Amino acid sequence: MILHRDFIKLSKEEKIKFNKYKDRYSIRTVNGQKMLPKPWTPNDEYPNYVYKHDSLFPNHNISSQDIEEDENWFLQRIDGFKDLIHHDSTSELDLLNYIRDNKAAFIVTSLLSYTDFGHHERFVFPEFQLSNNYKVDFLILGRSSGGYSFLFVELENPYGKITTVNGDFSTAINKGIKQVKDWKRWIPKNFSSFQQTLRKFKGPTNEDFPREFYELELDRFNFMVIAGRRDHYKPHTYQQNREILGNGERIRVLHYDNLIERTYEIIKTKHWQSSTFQIITHKTYFLNV
C-alpha cells in the first residue's frame, strides 16, 4: 500500500457505489449482444476509490486524481525529500527510508516523464523482490496506447564518488549500472517468475493480465540509475549517458535534481508527460538536463 488507504478493501457503502458505476460504465452483454458503456461526462461523480479498486494493481496506483484530492499532502512530502537531499551527509538509504516512512513512492513515478509511456496509467512497487538475490528499489509500470512497459529504478548516493574530475562515471553510478545489468540478465531467464510475483498485487476485479505480462518483449523493459546532484554532471557525463542509451542498453542515468524538479512539475500540472523529450518516428531524443 503506497498511499493513505487500502483500495482493495471497500466499505459497504463504497461497494454499492462501485457496483453502480461498474453497471453503468462497463461493456456488458444483453441478449447475446455487447452493449457499449454509457458515456462519462464531467458532471458525473466518479470517486477515486472506484477507479483504484477497478485498476490492475489498486494499492500501487498513482493518479492525477490523488493529487487533486490533496495537493498539499504531496507537496509536503516532496518538500521533505528536497530538504533531506540538501544535506551532504544524506545517503541513498536515508532517501529510501524517507520514501517508505512517508508513503512518498509517487516521487519516483516522475521518472516516467523521461520515457514515452505511463501517461495513461502508472503503478509503483517499492522494494520489489525479483529473487532471493535481487531486490529492485522501485519497479514502475506505465501504460500508454501500446500497452504496459516496465521501468526498473536503482537509487544510489546523492553525494560522494559520483563522477571523476573529467566527468566519467565514478563509483556510485558504476555500482548502479552494474546492478541494473544484473537485473537485465535475470529477466529473460525468469520472466514467468517475475509475472507470478506481480500477480500477488493484482486487484480483485481483473480476471487476467494483459498480453504484455505473458509475452516477453525486452523493448518494454527500461532501467534508470539515480545518483548525485546536477553539479556532479559535466559534458562528458552526459556524453557517456547518451552512449549507454544509444547502444541498446536501455539504461539512463539521472541526478536527484531531475527527480525533484519533475515531481514538482507533476504536482502542478497533474500530468506525467514532460517537455524534456519528444517522440520522433518512435525514437526518444533526450536533452541534457
Side-chain angles (χ1 to χ4, degrees), residues 150-254:
F150 310 90
L151 175 59
F152 292 70
V153 179
E154 171 74 3
L155 297 192
E156 289 294 340
N157 269 323
Y159 298 99
K161 297 179 180 179
I162 310 300
T163 58
T164 67
V165 173
N166 295 326
D168 285 321
F169 294 162
S170 192
T171 305
I173 295 178
N174 286 327
K175 177 173 172 284
I177 291 174
K178 179 182 183 303
Q179 179 66 78
V180 300
K181 285 184 176 181
D182 287 341
W183 301 339
K184 287 185 66 177
R185 285 189 288 269
W186 183 92
I187 290 165
K189 300 175 183 177
N190 301 276
F191 186 58
S192 61
S193 174
F194 171 68
Q195 179 235 96
Q196 288 302 316
T197 302
L198 280 171
R199 187 170 291 279
K200 298 174 184 178
F201 305 102
K202 194 168 73 66
T205 68
N206 293 276
E207 293 182 2
D208 209 347
F209 281 143
R211 175 187 61 82
E212 49 268 34
F213 288 81
Y214 288 102
E215 299 178 12
L216 176 61
E217 297 172 294
L218 290 176
D219 60 355
R220 291 188 183 273
F221 287 81
N222 302 265
F223 306 85
M224 289 190 184
V225 175
I226 315 303
R229 304 293 305 277
R230 179 174 279 114
D231 290 346
H232 295 120
Y233 285 53
K234 300 173 178 63
H236 188 62
T237 315
Y238 292 112
Q239 181 181 341
Q240 282 194 290
N241 206 346
R242 289 191 295 271
E243 288 172 355
I244 61 172
L245 275 171
N247 66 8
E249 291 280 5
R250 304 186 73 83
I251 301 172
R252 179 164 176 80
V253 178
L254 293 167

